[in-house]
Amino acid sequence: MILEEMYTRGGIRTPNASQIQQITAYLSLYGKIEGKNVFYWFQNHKARDRQKLRKLLNHHHHLLNYPDSCPPPVLPQVSHYSSVGFLPQDGVLEDASTQTMSYTWTVDHHLTERCEMDKSIMTRTYGRDWMMMLDVDPTSHCCNNKPLKTLELFPITATGLKDEHIPPTSTNN
Amino acid sequence: MILEEMYTRGGIRTPNASQIQQITAYLSLYGKIEGKNVFYWFQNHKARDRQKLRKLLNHHHHLLNYPDSCPPPVLPQVSHYSSVGFLPQDGVLEDASTQTMSYTWTVDHHLTERCEMDKSIMTRTYGRDWMMMLDVDPTSHCCNNKPLKTLELFPITATGLKDEHIPPTSTNN
DNA sequence: TAGATATGAATGAATG
DNA sequence: CATTCATTCATATCTA
């Protein structure tokens, strides 16, 4: 948590030897620790942080450039469901959203079929980072042949629980 | 990320069966997924969130009750080092010279200076030599012959280093 | 429910 | 800095 603070609030990304020494000295108050630990921590943290960001930007990129050519690899236009009551903790999701959401997804799905260069684009833009590719389910890239039956799945029936093997659903909320 | 959005921005913590179904249906656009996956995701996320918070609060508790009887279990008052130039990415870290935290750092600085035989070199090299410096624990290796004054500032009793042991004692729930 | 075990994710440690 | 590899964690899951 301390390092996290230094990283996030302090903005430290690549501490130099001197900084590492001091940080190490400070942290050693809590237990055995070496400079390399601190070094690796920052290196890993920065890398994974950046990776996360890139992933995000990549998806954002898709949304901006192919808003209706394929389903967003990750984030489904927040504006969509948020304005449709998708996010609200409550049960708005239950009724009202069903229709609207269905609509959105339907659209996405329709357009899905045209997205084939998706991967190539990704590769072209972030070729070196294949790790990002793992985000997309290979079996259903963005153009899987899943029928647009999503809508039909919505008719939610409380009974569906068992079928899904959903563990004890604390019906609270 | 979609789930994260729902959790954070949407405030969804414990989706009910119905919600889970819809979320699952939506996510299924990206690949194979079952309701239980969504269910578990929220369970995990919430649990981890709670745990993180608990830990944080616990530390704060320590800080508030034993401000000078033991080393700060976690965060060394952000406000302090942030206003003292502790965090800044640059090298401001070097000239720590202020209040509370400063003490620690000032002392640390002194200490680090003693074990600085090849520090300057690596600072420039940034190669294998650079890492070598990090391999040693500043408090126990090159400077272990000199009692850490820092410790005196934080009267650490015996192995107070690991008071952090907070096993999954999920007393509640 | 309390163990025992399997497993995905996170993260430390390296390597080139 | 991108990747890889090994552990650790925290469940998910199964069983008595």
Side-chain angles (χ1 to χ4, degrees):
Chain A
M1 286 186 267
I2 291 176
L3 291 175
E4 179 62 48
E5 278 293 310
M6 294 177 174
Y7 183 90
T8 301
R9 296 215 231 177
I12 294 176
R13 293 301 138 86
T14 310
N16 56 43
S18 179
Q19 289 176 300
I20 289 177
Q21 288 273 308
Q22 295 193 49
I23 293 172
T24 301
Y26 180 71
L27 292 179
S28 66
L29 282 173
Y30 304 92
K32 186 171 176 299
I33 185 173
E34 294 175 36
K36 64 177 182 179
N37 298 127
V38 173
F39 171 81
Y40 284 133
W41 190 89
F42 277 97
Q43 186 160 321
N44 283 320
H45 203 69
K46 187 172 69 173
R48 283 159 182 158
D49 203 38
R50 201 172 47 254
Q51 175 191 4
K52 202 176 298 177
L53 178 61
R54 257 183 333 220
K55 199 176 293 178
L56 209 60
L57 291 176
N58 183 50
H59 295 307
H60 197 50
H61 168 267
H62 276 276
L63 283 176
L64 295 175
N65 296 291
Y66 313 94
D68 53 20
S69 65
C70 65
V74 172
L75 296 175
Q77 283 110 332
V78 180
S79 56
H80 271 188
Y81 54 72
S82 70
S83 63
V84 171
F86 180 52
L87 289 173
Q89 167 70 50
D90 315 287
V92 189
L93 189 63
E94 308 288 322
D95 39 74
S97 61
T98 301
Q99 179 227 33
T100 313
M101 247 175 56
S102 305
Y103 166 71
T104 302
W105 299 350
T106 299
V107 175
D108 285 344
H109 195 62
H110 273 304
L111 303 167
T112 288
E113 325 225 25
R114 272 176 271 163
C115 168
E116 187 59 67
M117 71 294 219
D118 176 50
K119 201 169 182 178
S120 60
I121 292 173
M122 282 180 74
T123 308
R124 197 183 311 151
T125 308
Y126 308 92
R128 54 274 189 60
D129 208 357
W130 61 268
M131 201 96 90
M132 286 196 300
M133 304 285 214
L134 299 180
D135 276 342
V136 188
D137 183 347
T139 62
S140 63
H141 286 296
C142 69
C143 312
N144 57 48
N145 46 16
K146 187 166 293 180
L148 182 57
K149 304 297 181 179
T150 310
L151 289 176
E152 297 176 19
L153 292 175
F154 286 121
I156 301 171
T157 53
T159 55
L161 282 175
K162 297 297 181 181
D163 302 309
E164 296 254 326
H165 296 308
I166 298 175
T169 304
S170 51
T171 319
N172 73 340
N173 272 20
Chain B
M1 283 186 266
I2 290 175
L3 292 175
E4 179 62 44
E5 278 289 326
M6 295 177 177
Y7 184 92
T8 301
R9 295 217 238 176
I12 296 175
R13 293 301 139 87
T14 309
N16 55 43
S18 192
Q19 290 177 300
I20 290 178
Q21 291 237 325
Q22 294 193 50
I23 293 172
T24 302
Y26 180 71
L27 292 179
S28 67
L29 280 173
Y30 305 95
K32 184 172 176 295
I33 185 173
E34 296 176 58
K36 62 179 180 181
N37 298 126
V38 174
F39 172 86
Y40 286 131
W41 189 90
F42 278 97
Q43 285 293 296
N44 294 333
H45 207 67
K46 187 171 71 173
R48 286 164 182 166
D49 220 22
R50 216 184 313 138
Q51 174 194 27
K52 199 179 296 178
L53 179 62
R54 227 152 38 201
K55 193 176 297 180
L56 210 58
L57 291 176
N58 195 44
H59 290 308
H60 273 298
H61 171 268
H62 278 286
L63 282 175
L64 295 173
N65 296 292
Y66 314 97
D68 51 26
S69 65
C70 64
V74 180
L75 303 175
Q77 278 114 358
V78 181
S79 55
H80 273 181
Y81 55 70
S82 70
S83 62
V84 173
F86 176 52
L87 291 173
Q89 168 70 43
D90 321 284
V92 193
L93 189 65
E94 306 294 321
D95 51 284
S97 56
T98 317
Q99 302 293 304
T100 326
M101 274 296 291
S102 308
Y103 283 7
T104 303
W105 286 86
T106 301
V107 175
D108 286 342
H109 191 56
H110 290 169
L111 293 171
T112 55
E113 288 187 314
R114 300 184 190 293
C115 54
E116 199 165 23
M117 24 279 203
D118 39 20
K119 173 180 172 184
S120 56
I121 302 174
M122 9 180 274
T123 303
R124 252 173 299 148
T125 308
Y126 234 87
R128 305 113 184 73
D129 304 318
W130 196 81
M131 267 297 270
M132 288 181 76
M133 168 191 193
L134 306 177
D135 276 337
V136 288
D137 179 349
T139 62
S140 62
H141 192 73
C142 58
C143 301
N144 61 354
N145 57 337
K146 200 88 175 184
L148 283 176
K149 293 198 173 182
T150 307
L151 292 179
E152 297 176 358
L153 291 174
F154 298 93
I156 302 173
T157 54
T159 58
L161 304 173
K162 275 287 185 174
D163 73 326
E164 167 60 13
H165 274 357
I166 304 178
T169 309
S170 53
T171 312
N172 63 339
N173 294 9

